[in-house]
Amino acid sequence: MKKINLIQTGGTIAMSRSEGKTILDSDRWTQTLYKEIPELKTIAHIHPDQLFLEDSSDITPAHWEALTYHIRKQQDHFDGFVILHGTDTMAYTASALSYSLLGLDKPVILTGSQVPMSMLRSDAKRNLVNAVEVSTLPIPEVAICFHDTVFRGNRTSKMSISDFNAFESPNFPPLIKIGLHMEINEDLLLKSHNPAPNSLSTDTRDPKYSLFSDRVFVLKLFPGLSSDLLMSVPFHKTEVIVLEAFGSGNFPTKSQTSILPFLEEASKRNILVIITSQAPFDSVDLSNYESGQLAHKLGVISARDMTIEAAVTKSMFLLARPKGKDKFREYFSTSIAGEISN
Ligand code: ASP
C-alpha cells in the first residue's frame, strides 16, 4: 500500500459543532477521522500530521512556507500528500504551493468540506476518501479534490459559499472526474520530472529569505472609483499591483475617473501593474480595446487566463526571488506550473 501524509491545517473539515457553534477542535480531529471513515485505512498507510489549525481566512504566506518545508522534508518518506484545508482560501494555498513545490513530482491534493465531518450529510467523508485515493496515483500536481472532481490547484477558484460543488476551474478542464471509475485526463497532467528553473527552486531552505514577498497589492476597479483614492495607494511599499479590471482587461480612460495617471505614476516608480479580469472565464486581451492598448504601452502585464489567486501568489513568489523586472515579466507570462495557457 502507498504511504500518504495527511496534513491537517484546519477549516470546516476540522471543526465540530459544540453548543450551537462550529469550532476548531484540535484534539478531536484524528479520532473523528478514523471513527467516521474507517475505510481510509484500506486505501493507504496514512500518517496524520497537524501543522496548524486555522480557519483558512487566517492563512498567510508563513503557513504556505511551513507547508512547503514540511513537504520538502518528508518528500522521500511518502508517495503522496493530502492537505486538509478550509475552502475559503484553498485556491490561494494550492496556487502558492504549485510554485513553491516546483519539481516535487508527487501528488499534493488539497481537500476540505462545506460541512464538519461529524455532522449528518457532511461532504467530508466523500471528499477525503477521494483525495486519499487520488494521492496514491501518479499525479505530479498540486491539485484540489472536491465534490468528485480533481482540478489543477492554480486554475481553481472557490465559486460557491454553500453548494457542495464549491470549486470551479474556469479556464482549464478538470484533471480527473470521479464516478464509478476515475476518469483521468492524462493528456492534461503536468509532465513529471519537470525540473524547476534553478533560479526558482525552493528545495533547500534559506532562512535569510522568505518564499513569498509581501509587496503585492490588489485593486478592484468599479465604475466611479475616485482617482484621488487610487493615487493614495501605498506606492512606496508596493512592487506589484494586480488590477482587477473589466471584461477583456478594460478600464476607464475618460475624465475624472481615468486611471491612466495612476498607471503612469506606477510606471514612473518602476512598479509592475498586472491586469486580470473580474470575469473569471476566458482570457484578458489588451489588444482588444483602446484602454488595453494604452496600458500595454505603459508596460502593463496581462494575466491572460490566470485566476486572481494564481496571479497574486505567482507575483509574491517571483518577487521573493529577485531577478529583476525583466525576468519577472518573462516568468510571469510563461507557464511555470501549468497556471497559464500558452
Ligand atoms: N471558513 C472556513 C474556512 O475556510 C470555510 C470552510 O472550510 O469551508 O476555513
Side-chain angles (χ1 to χ4, degrees), residues 40-83:
L40 278 183
K41 288 186 176 149
T42 66
I43 309 175
H45 286 301
I46 295 174
H47 177 86
D49 272 320
Q50 182 175 306
L51 279 202
F52 37 87
L53 206 64
E54 304 280 6
D55 184 295
S56 77
S57 316
D58 286 316
I59 295 287
T60 66
H63 296 100
W64 303 337
E65 279 192 18
L67 279 163
T68 303
Y69 289 125
H70 172 84
I71 292 174
R72 289 276 187 212
K73 212 162 133 202
Q74 300 298 332
Q75 65 187 52
D76 296 333
H77 305 301
F78 292 100
D79 299 296
F81 297 85
V82 172
I83 301 176

mmCIF file of all heavy atoms in Angstrom, residues 40-83:
data_model
loop_
_atom_site.group_PDB
_atom_site.id
_atom_site.type_symbol
_atom_site.label_atom_id
_atom_site.label_comp_id
_atom_site.label_asym_id
_atom_site.label_seq_id
_atom_site.Cartn_x
_atom_site.Cartn_y
_atom_site.Cartn_z
ATOM 1 N N LEU A 40 -10.578 4.592 5.310
ATOM 2 C CA LEU A 40 -9.323 5.249 4.899
ATOM 3 C C LEU A 40 -8.140 4.301 5.025
ATOM 4 O O LEU A 40 -7.237 4.294 4.197
ATOM 5 C CB LEU A 40 -9.062 6.479 5.778
ATOM 6 C CG LEU A 40 -9.793 7.757 5.413
ATOM 7 C CD1 LEU A 40 -9.359 8.876 6.327
ATOM 8 C CD2 LEU A 40 -9.539 8.135 3.949
ATOM 9 N N LYS A 41 -8.180 3.476 6.078
ATOM 10 C CA LYS A 41 -7.053 2.567 6.328
ATOM 11 C C LYS A 41 -6.913 1.501 5.248
ATOM 12 O O LYS A 41 -5.878 0.854 5.155
ATOM 13 C CB LYS A 41 -7.242 1.877 7.688
ATOM 14 C CG LYS A 41 -7.022 2.822 8.851
ATOM 15 C CD LYS A 41 -7.064 2.066 10.160
ATOM 16 C CE LYS A 41 -6.749 3.025 11.301
ATOM 17 N NZ LYS A 41 -7.423 2.676 12.539
ATOM 18 N N THR A 42 -7.974 1.291 4.474
ATOM 19 C CA THR A 42 -7.880 0.271 3.428
ATOM 20 C C THR A 42 -7.354 0.849 2.119
ATOM 21 O O THR A 42 -7.051 0.122 1.186
ATOM 22 C CB THR A 42 -9.265 -0.381 3.155
ATOM 23 O OG1 THR A 42 -10.112 0.648 2.597
ATOM 24 C CG2 THR A 42 -9.887 -0.943 4.419
ATOM 25 N N ILE A 43 -7.238 2.174 2.040
ATOM 26 C CA ILE A 43 -6.776 2.788 0.783
ATOM 27 C C ILE A 43 -5.264 3.003 0.801
ATOM 28 O O ILE A 43 -4.576 2.847 -0.206
ATOM 29 C CB ILE A 43 -7.456 4.162 0.540
ATOM 30 C CG1 ILE A 43 -8.977 4.042 0.669
ATOM 31 C CG2 ILE A 43 -7.095 4.711 -0.840
ATOM 32 C CD1 ILE A 43 -9.699 5.376 0.565
ATOM 33 N N ALA A 44 -4.740 3.361 1.967
ATOM 34 C CA ALA A 44 -3.310 3.676 2.031
ATOM 35 C C ALA A 44 -2.857 3.623 3.489
ATOM 36 O O ALA A 44 -3.678 3.631 4.399
ATOM 37 C CB ALA A 44 -3.080 5.089 1.475
ATOM 38 N N HIS A 45 -1.540 3.537 3.673
ATOM 39 C CA HIS A 45 -0.995 3.739 5.026
ATOM 40 C C HIS A 45 -0.985 5.236 5.256
ATOM 41 O O HIS A 45 -0.249 5.957 4.567
ATOM 42 C CB HIS A 45 0.443 3.222 5.126
ATOM 43 C CG HIS A 45 0.524 1.744 5.171
ATOM 44 N ND1 HIS A 45 -0.085 0.998 6.156
ATOM 45 C CD2 HIS A 45 1.146 0.862 4.350
ATOM 46 C CE1 HIS A 45 0.149 -0.272 5.936
ATOM 47 N NE2 HIS A 45 0.884 -0.396 4.843
ATOM 48 N N ILE A 46 -1.772 5.677 6.203
ATOM 49 C CA ILE A 46 -1.903 7.127 6.375
ATOM 50 C C ILE A 46 -1.191 7.582 7.635
ATOM 51 O O ILE A 46 -1.403 7.032 8.726
ATOM 52 C CB ILE A 46 -3.392 7.527 6.448
ATOM 53 C CG1 ILE A 46 -4.010 7.214 5.090
ATOM 54 C CG2 ILE A 46 -3.553 8.994 6.785
ATOM 55 C CD1 ILE A 46 -5.476 7.396 5.027
ATOM 56 N N HIS A 47 -0.332 8.578 7.451
ATOM 57 C CA HIS A 47 0.338 9.156 8.618
ATOM 58 C C HIS A 47 -0.207 10.574 8.808
ATOM 59 O O HIS A 47 0.079 11.461 8.012
ATOM 60 C CB HIS A 47 1.851 9.176 8.392
ATOM 61 C CG HIS A 47 2.573 9.827 9.517
ATOM 62 N ND1 HIS A 47 2.948 9.149 10.647
ATOM 63 C CD2 HIS A 47 2.948 11.108 9.708
ATOM 64 C CE1 HIS A 47 3.513 9.987 11.482
ATOM 65 N NE2 HIS A 47 3.531 11.182 10.940
ATOM 66 N N PRO A 48 -1.029 10.801 9.852
ATOM 67 C CA PRO A 48 -1.571 12.152 10.026
ATOM 68 C C PRO A 48 -0.603 13.078 10.752
ATOM 69 O O PRO A 48 0.123 12.660 11.648
ATOM 70 C CB PRO A 48 -2.820 11.933 10.885
ATOM 71 C CG PRO A 48 -2.719 10.568 11.462
ATOM 72 C CD PRO A 48 -1.558 9.857 10.860
ATOM 73 N N ASP A 49 -0.574 14.325 10.325
ATOM 74 C CA ASP A 49 0.212 15.370 10.988
ATOM 75 C C ASP A 49 -0.669 16.594 11.088
ATOM 76 O O ASP A 49 -1.462 16.862 10.176
ATOM 77 C CB ASP A 49 1.425 15.780 10.122
ATOM 78 C CG ASP A 49 2.630 14.923 10.384
ATOM 79 O OD1 ASP A 49 2.881 14.592 11.554
ATOM 80 O OD2 ASP A 49 3.341 14.592 9.402
ATOM 81 N N GLN A 50 -0.485 17.344 12.145
ATOM 82 C CA GLN A 50 -1.214 18.617 12.225
ATOM 83 C C GLN A 50 -0.188 19.750 12.220
ATOM 84 O O GLN A 50 0.571 19.894 13.160
ATOM 85 C CB GLN A 50 -2.034 18.660 13.502
ATOM 86 C CG GLN A 50 -2.829 19.937 13.604
ATOM 87 C CD GLN A 50 -3.740 19.927 14.820
ATOM 88 O OE1 GLN A 50 -4.531 19.008 15.009
ATOM 89 N NE2 GLN A 50 -3.600 20.924 15.640
ATOM 90 N N LEU A 51 -0.155 20.514 11.148
ATOM 91 C CA LEU A 51 0.846 21.603 11.082
ATOM 92 C C LEU A 51 0.346 22.841 11.803
ATOM 93 O O LEU A 51 1.098 23.568 12.414
ATOM 94 C CB LEU A 51 1.150 21.962 9.633
ATOM 95 C CG LEU A 51 2.142 21.071 8.896
ATOM 96 C CD1 LEU A 51 2.754 21.810 7.722
ATOM 97 C CD2 LEU A 51 3.230 20.570 9.810
ATOM 98 N N PHE A 52 -0.931 23.115 11.657
ATOM 99 C CA PHE A 52 -1.574 24.218 12.376
ATOM 100 C C PHE A 52 -3.076 23.992 12.278
ATOM 101 O O PHE A 52 -3.493 23.013 11.625
ATOM 102 C CB PHE A 52 -1.178 25.595 11.819
ATOM 103 C CG PHE A 52 -1.014 25.642 10.322
ATOM 104 C CD1 PHE A 52 -2.101 25.885 9.516
ATOM 105 C CD2 PHE A 52 0.228 25.435 9.724
ATOM 106 C CE1 PHE A 52 -1.966 25.923 8.140
ATOM 107 C CE2 PHE A 52 0.371 25.474 8.334
ATOM 108 C CZ PHE A 52 -0.725 25.723 7.547
ATOM 109 N N LEU A 53 -3.857 24.816 12.912
ATOM 110 C CA LEU A 53 -5.305 24.611 12.880
ATOM 111 C C LEU A 53 -5.961 25.978 12.785
ATOM 112 O O LEU A 53 -6.135 26.656 13.787
ATOM 113 C CB LEU A 53 -5.738 23.872 14.158
ATOM 114 C CG LEU A 53 -7.010 23.051 14.047
ATOM 115 C CD1 LEU A 53 -6.871 21.894 13.073
ATOM 116 C CD2 LEU A 53 -7.416 22.501 15.406
ATOM 117 N N GLU A 54 -6.269 26.377 11.566
ATOM 118 C CA GLU A 54 -6.772 27.737 11.341
ATOM 119 C C GLU A 54 -8.043 27.697 10.511
ATOM 120 O O GLU A 54 -8.184 26.857 9.627
ATOM 121 C CB GLU A 54 -5.756 28.563 10.527
ATOM 122 C CG GLU A 54 -4.363 28.664 11.106
ATOM 123 C CD GLU A 54 -4.276 29.701 12.213
ATOM 124 O OE1 GLU A 54 -5.315 30.264 12.614
ATOM 125 O OE2 GLU A 54 -3.156 29.924 12.700
ATOM 126 N N ASP A 55 -8.906 28.660 10.766
ATOM 127 C CA ASP A 55 -9.918 28.966 9.768
ATOM 128 C C ASP A 55 -9.108 29.496 8.577
ATOM 129 O O ASP A 55 -8.171 30.282 8.780
ATOM 130 C CB ASP A 55 -10.853 30.051 10.302
ATOM 131 C CG ASP A 55 -11.981 30.338 9.327
ATOM 132 O OD1 ASP A 55 -11.702 30.834 8.214
ATOM 133 O OD2 ASP A 55 -13.132 30.075 9.680
ATOM 134 N N SER A 56 -9.410 29.094 7.376
ATOM 135 C CA SER A 56 -8.478 29.431 6.290
ATOM 136 C C SER A 56 -8.417 30.923 5.984
ATOM 137 O O SER A 56 -7.518 31.373 5.273
ATOM 138 C CB SER A 56 -8.773 28.613 5.034
ATOM 139 O OG SER A 56 -9.881 29.110 4.351
ATOM 140 N N SER A 57 -9.328 31.724 6.540
ATOM 141 C CA SER A 57 -9.190 33.182 6.364
ATOM 142 C C SER A 57 -7.954 33.696 7.087
ATOM 143 O O SER A 57 -7.474 34.789 6.791
ATOM 144 C CB SER A 57 -10.397 33.913 6.930
ATOM 145 O OG SER A 57 -11.559 33.277 6.560
ATOM 146 N N ASP A 58 -7.458 32.930 8.053
ATOM 147 C CA ASP A 58 -6.266 33.362 8.786
ATOM 148 C C ASP A 58 -4.971 32.794 8.206
ATOM 149 O O ASP A 58 -3.901 32.969 8.797
ATOM 150 C CB ASP A 58 -6.384 32.946 10.263
ATOM 151 C CG ASP A 58 -7.386 33.822 11.001
ATOM 152 O OD1 ASP A 58 -7.357 35.050 10.808
ATOM 153 O OD2 ASP A 58 -8.215 33.270 11.749
ATOM 154 N N ILE A 59 -5.067 32.104 7.104
ATOM 155 C CA ILE A 59 -3.844 31.551 6.484
ATOM 156 C C ILE A 59 -3.039 32.696 5.863
ATOM 157 O O ILE A 59 -3.598 33.601 5.231
ATOM 158 C CB ILE A 59 -4.218 30.514 5.391
ATOM 159 C CG1 ILE A 59 -4.910 29.298 6.013
ATOM 160 C CG2 ILE A 59 -3.006 30.096 4.561
ATOM 161 C CD1 ILE A 59 -4.049 28.347 6.784
ATOM 162 N N THR A 60 -1.723 32.642 6.041
ATOM 163 C CA THR A 60 -0.828 33.674 5.497
ATOM 164 C C THR A 60 0.310 32.982 4.739
ATOM 165 O O THR A 60 0.474 31.761 4.835
ATOM 166 C CB THR A 60 -0.187 34.497 6.636
ATOM 167 O OG1 THR A 60 0.686 33.605 7.369
ATOM 168 C CG2 THR A 60 -1.225 35.071 7.588
ATOM 169 N N PRO A 61 1.145 33.764 4.055
ATOM 170 C CA PRO A 61 2.307 33.157 3.392
ATOM 171 C C PRO A 61 3.209 32.389 4.360
ATOM 172 O O PRO A 61 3.883 31.440 3.947
ATOM 173 C CB PRO A 61 3.015 34.361 2.781
ATOM 174 C CG PRO A 61 1.891 35.300 2.461
ATOM 175 C CD PRO A 61 0.942 35.165 3.623
ATOM 176 N N ALA A 62 3.205 32.742 5.639
ATOM 177 C CA ALA A 62 4.024 31.978 6.598
ATOM 178 C C ALA A 62 3.507 30.532 6.686
ATOM 179 O O ALA A 62 4.296 29.590 6.839
ATOM 180 C CB ALA A 62 3.969 32.639 7.968
ATOM 181 N N HIS A 63 2.196 30.341 6.571
ATOM 182 C CA HIS A 63 1.645 28.977 6.576
ATOM 183 C C HIS A 63 2.031 28.238 5.288
ATOM 184 O O HIS A 63 2.319 27.049 5.310
ATOM 185 C CB HIS A 63 0.118 29.014 6.712
ATOM 186 C CG HIS A 63 -0.363 29.590 8.007
ATOM 187 N ND1 HIS A 63 -0.816 30.881 8.118
ATOM 188 C CD2 HIS A 63 -0.440 29.057 9.248
ATOM 189 C CE1 HIS A 63 -1.169 31.116 9.377
ATOM 190 N NE2 HIS A 63 -0.947 30.034 10.079
ATOM 191 N N TRP A 64 2.045 28.956 4.160
ATOM 192 C CA TRP A 64 2.462 28.299 2.896
ATOM 193 C C TRP A 64 3.924 27.848 3.005
ATOM 194 O O TRP A 64 4.288 26.783 2.516
ATOM 195 C CB TRP A 64 2.328 29.261 1.701
ATOM 196 C CG TRP A 64 0.958 29.820 1.495
ATOM 197 C CD1 TRP A 64 -0.235 29.282 1.922
ATOM 198 C CD2 TRP A 64 0.624 31.042 0.823
ATOM 199 N NE1 TRP A 64 -1.270 30.102 1.547
ATOM 200 C CE2 TRP A 64 -0.786 31.177 0.879
ATOM 201 C CE3 TRP A 64 1.364 32.027 0.168
ATOM 202 C CZ2 TRP A 64 -1.449 32.267 0.296
ATOM 203 C CZ3 TRP A 64 0.709 33.117 -0.403
ATOM 204 C CH2 TRP A 64 -0.673 33.227 -0.333
ATOM 205 N N GLU A 65 4.722 28.683 3.650
ATOM 206 C CA GLU A 65 6.130 28.296 3.832
ATOM 207 C C GLU A 65 6.247 27.059 4.703
ATOM 208 O O GLU A 65 7.000 26.140 4.401
ATOM 209 C CB GLU A 65 6.892 29.434 4.525
ATOM 210 C CG GLU A 65 7.292 30.514 3.575
ATOM 211 C CD GLU A 65 8.289 31.477 4.217
ATOM 212 O OE1 GLU A 65 8.912 31.143 5.237
ATOM 213 O OE2 GLU A 65 8.428 32.560 3.661
ATOM 214 N N ALA A 66 5.465 27.041 5.813
ATOM 215 C CA ALA A 66 5.528 25.888 6.720
ATOM 216 C C ALA A 66 5.135 24.615 5.960
ATOM 217 O O ALA A 66 5.779 23.568 6.101
ATOM 218 C CB ALA A 66 4.613 26.110 7.913
ATOM 219 N N LEU A 67 4.093 24.704 5.130
ATOM 220 C CA LEU A 67 3.665 23.542 4.346
ATOM 221 C C LEU A 67 4.758 23.123 3.364
ATOM 222 O O LEU A 67 5.070 21.943 3.202
ATOM 223 C CB LEU A 67 2.379 23.868 3.577
ATOM 224 C CG LEU A 67 1.090 23.774 4.388
ATOM 225 C CD1 LEU A 67 -0.049 24.503 3.682
ATOM 226 C CD2 LEU A 67 0.714 22.302 4.604
ATOM 227 N N THR A 68 5.340 24.118 2.697
ATOM 228 C CA THR A 68 6.383 23.825 1.705
ATOM 229 C C THR A 68 7.548 23.092 2.366
ATOM 230 O O THR A 68 7.994 22.040 1.871
ATOM 231 C CB THR A 68 6.908 25.134 1.078
ATOM 232 O OG1 THR A 68 5.814 25.832 0.503
ATOM 233 C CG2 THR A 68 7.953 24.864 0.010
ATOM 234 N N TYR A 69 8.023 23.619 3.491
ATOM 235 C CA TYR A 69 9.207 22.998 4.098
ATOM 236 C C TYR A 69 8.869 21.650 4.724
ATOM 237 O O TYR A 69 9.691 20.742 4.701
ATOM 238 C CB TYR A 69 9.864 23.967 5.085
ATOM 239 C CG TYR A 69 10.537 25.102 4.342
ATOM 240 C CD1 TYR A 69 10.236 26.426 4.617
ATOM 241 C CD2 TYR A 69 11.446 24.833 3.312
ATOM 242 C CE1 TYR A 69 10.833 27.463 3.906
ATOM 243 C CE2 TYR A 69 12.032 25.862 2.590
ATOM 244 C CZ TYR A 69 11.731 27.173 2.894
ATOM 245 O OH TYR A 69 12.313 28.190 2.179
ATOM 246 N N HIS A 70 7.656 21.501 5.234
ATOM 247 C CA HIS A 70 7.261 20.195 5.766
ATOM 248 C C HIS A 70 7.282 19.165 4.631
ATOM 249 O O HIS A 70 7.862 18.085 4.768
ATOM 250 C CB HIS A 70 5.866 20.284 6.392
ATOM 251 C CG HIS A 70 5.319 18.950 6.774
ATOM 252 N ND1 HIS A 70 5.624 18.336 7.966
ATOM 253 C CD2 HIS A 70 4.514 18.075 6.094
ATOM 254 C CE1 HIS A 70 5.033 17.148 8.019
ATOM 255 N NE2 HIS A 70 4.345 16.973 6.893
ATOM 256 N N ILE A 71 6.667 19.505 3.500
ATOM 257 C CA ILE A 71 6.576 18.535 2.394
ATOM 258 C C ILE A 71 7.958 18.256 1.810
ATOM 259 O O ILE A 71 8.315 17.113 1.524
ATOM 260 C CB ILE A 71 5.567 19.028 1.327
ATOM 261 C CG1 ILE A 71 4.165 18.990 1.930
ATOM 262 C CG2 ILE A 71 5.639 18.180 0.058
ATOM 263 C CD1 ILE A 71 3.062 19.579 1.070
ATOM 264 N N ARG A 72 8.765 19.296 1.654
ATOM 265 C CA ARG A 72 10.131 19.073 1.140
ATOM 266 C C ARG A 72 10.907 18.121 2.058
ATOM 267 O O ARG A 72 11.639 17.258 1.596
ATOM 268 C CB ARG A 72 10.890 20.405 1.060
ATOM 269 C CG ARG A 72 10.392 21.327 -0.036
ATOM 270 C CD ARG A 72 11.024 20.983 -1.351
ATOM 271 N NE ARG A 72 10.698 21.958 -2.386
ATOM 272 C CZ ARG A 72 10.576 21.658 -3.666
ATOM 273 N NH1 ARG A 72 10.718 20.423 -4.081
ATOM 274 N NH2 ARG A 72 10.303 22.597 -4.545
ATOM 275 N N LYS A 73 10.709 18.292 3.363
ATOM 276 C CA LYS A 73 11.447 17.459 4.318
ATOM 277 C C LYS A 73 10.960 16.008 4.273
ATOM 278 O O LYS A 73 11.731 15.069 4.443
ATOM 279 C CB LYS A 73 11.225 18.021 5.731
ATOM 280 C CG LYS A 73 12.407 17.809 6.631
ATOM 281 C CD LYS A 73 12.338 18.712 7.823
ATOM 282 C CE LYS A 73 12.625 17.905 9.076
ATOM 283 N NZ LYS A 73 12.104 18.540 10.266
ATOM 284 N N GLN A 74 9.664 15.831 4.017
ATOM 285 C CA GLN A 74 9.077 14.487 4.060
ATOM 286 C C GLN A 74 8.990 13.823 2.689
ATOM 287 O O GLN A 74 8.506 12.707 2.587
ATOM 288 C CB GLN A 74 7.649 14.575 4.645
ATOM 289 C CG GLN A 74 7.567 15.122 6.048
ATOM 290 C CD GLN A 74 8.309 14.238 7.039
ATOM 291 O OE1 GLN A 74 8.437 13.026 6.835
ATOM 292 N NE2 GLN A 74 8.835 14.846 8.088
ATOM 293 N N GLN A 75 9.439 14.510 1.639
ATOM 294 C CA GLN A 75 9.128 14.021 0.295
ATOM 295 C C GLN A 75 9.638 12.612 -0.004
ATOM 296 O O GLN A 75 9.022 11.882 -0.759
ATOM 297 C CB GLN A 75 9.602 15.006 -0.788
ATOM 298 C CG GLN A 75 11.086 15.212 -0.880
ATOM 299 C CD GLN A 75 11.430 16.331 -1.869
ATOM 300 O OE1 GLN A 75 10.922 17.431 -1.789
ATOM 301 N NE2 GLN A 75 12.308 16.028 -2.799
ATOM 302 N N ASP A 76 10.742 12.207 0.616
ATOM 303 C CA ASP A 76 11.254 10.861 0.339
ATOM 304 C C ASP A 76 10.566 9.787 1.171
ATOM 305 O O ASP A 76 10.743 8.601 0.926
ATOM 306 C CB ASP A 76 12.768 10.805 0.586
ATOM 307 C CG ASP A 76 13.492 11.720 -0.385
ATOM 308 O OD1 ASP A 76 12.936 11.948 -1.485
ATOM 309 O OD2 ASP A 76 14.580 12.224 -0.039
ATOM 310 N N HIS A 77 9.785 10.202 2.169
ATOM 311 C CA HIS A 77 9.152 9.214 3.055
ATOM 312 C C HIS A 77 7.738 8.863 2.633
ATOM 313 O O HIS A 77 7.149 7.944 3.182
ATOM 314 C CB HIS A 77 9.120 9.733 4.498
ATOM 315 C CG HIS A 77 10.471 10.120 5.005
ATOM 316 N ND1 HIS A 77 11.510 9.230 5.072
ATOM 317 C CD2 HIS A 77 10.973 11.304 5.422
ATOM 318 C CE1 HIS A 77 12.583 9.841 5.532
ATOM 319 N NE2 HIS A 77 12.290 11.115 5.738
ATOM 320 N N PHE A 78 7.162 9.639 1.716
ATOM 321 C CA PHE A 78 5.759 9.409 1.348
ATOM 322 C C PHE A 78 5.582 9.363 -0.170
ATOM 323 O O PHE A 78 6.349 9.968 -0.918
ATOM 324 C CB PHE A 78 4.872 10.518 1.932
ATOM 325 C CG PHE A 78 4.797 10.467 3.430
ATOM 326 C CD1 PHE A 78 5.567 11.327 4.210
ATOM 327 C CD2 PHE A 78 3.977 9.543 4.066
ATOM 328 C CE1 PHE A 78 5.518 11.268 5.604
ATOM 329 C CE2 PHE A 78 3.919 9.475 5.451
ATOM 330 C CZ PHE A 78 4.689 10.338 6.218
ATOM 331 N N ASP A 79 4.522 8.638 -0.585
ATOM 332 C CA ASP A 79 4.203 8.594 -2.023
ATOM 333 C C ASP A 79 3.333 9.775 -2.421
ATOM 334 O O ASP A 79 3.262 10.136 -3.598
ATOM 335 C CB ASP A 79 3.444 7.299 -2.342
ATOM 336 C CG ASP A 79 4.278 6.077 -2.017
ATOM 337 O OD1 ASP A 79 5.323 5.905 -2.660
ATOM 338 O OD2 ASP A 79 3.918 5.336 -1.080
ATOM 339 N N GLY A 80 2.633 10.344 -1.456
ATOM 340 C CA GLY A 80 1.767 11.476 -1.780
ATOM 341 C C GLY A 80 1.363 12.213 -0.520
ATOM 342 O O GLY A 80 1.579 11.728 0.604
ATOM 343 N N PHE A 81 0.761 13.385 -0.715
ATOM 344 C CA PHE A 81 0.368 14.239 0.407
ATOM 345 C C PHE A 81 -1.082 14.679 0.217
ATOM 346 O O PHE A 81 -1.479 15.034 -0.904
ATOM 347 C CB PHE A 81 1.263 15.488 0.464
ATOM 348 C CG PHE A 81 2.718 15.136 0.707
ATOM 349 C CD1 PHE A 81 3.553 14.802 -0.356
ATOM 350 C CD2 PHE A 81 3.230 15.109 1.993
ATOM 351 C CE1 PHE A 81 4.883 14.450 -0.141
ATOM 352 C CE2 PHE A 81 4.553 14.767 2.228
ATOM 353 C CZ PHE A 81 5.381 14.439 1.156
ATOM 354 N N VAL A 82 -1.845 14.649 1.310
ATOM 355 C CA VAL A 82 -3.201 15.210 1.279
ATOM 356 C C VAL A 82 -3.225 16.325 2.317
ATOM 357 O O VAL A 82 -2.794 16.137 3.454
ATOM 358 C CB VAL A 82 -4.260 14.140 1.626
ATOM 359 C CG1 VAL A 82 -5.641 14.772 1.775
ATOM 360 C CG2 VAL A 82 -4.296 13.066 0.538
ATOM 361 N N ILE A 83 -3.693 17.492 1.902
ATOM 362 C CA ILE A 83 -3.762 18.624 2.834
ATOM 363 C C ILE A 83 -5.224 18.940 3.110
ATOM 364 O O ILE A 83 -5.989 19.223 2.185
ATOM 365 C CB ILE A 83 -3.064 19.868 2.234
ATOM 366 C CG1 ILE A 83 -1.590 19.550 1.934
ATOM 367 C CG2 ILE A 83 -3.178 21.059 3.190
ATOM 368 C CD1 ILE A 83 -0.839 20.696 1.252
#
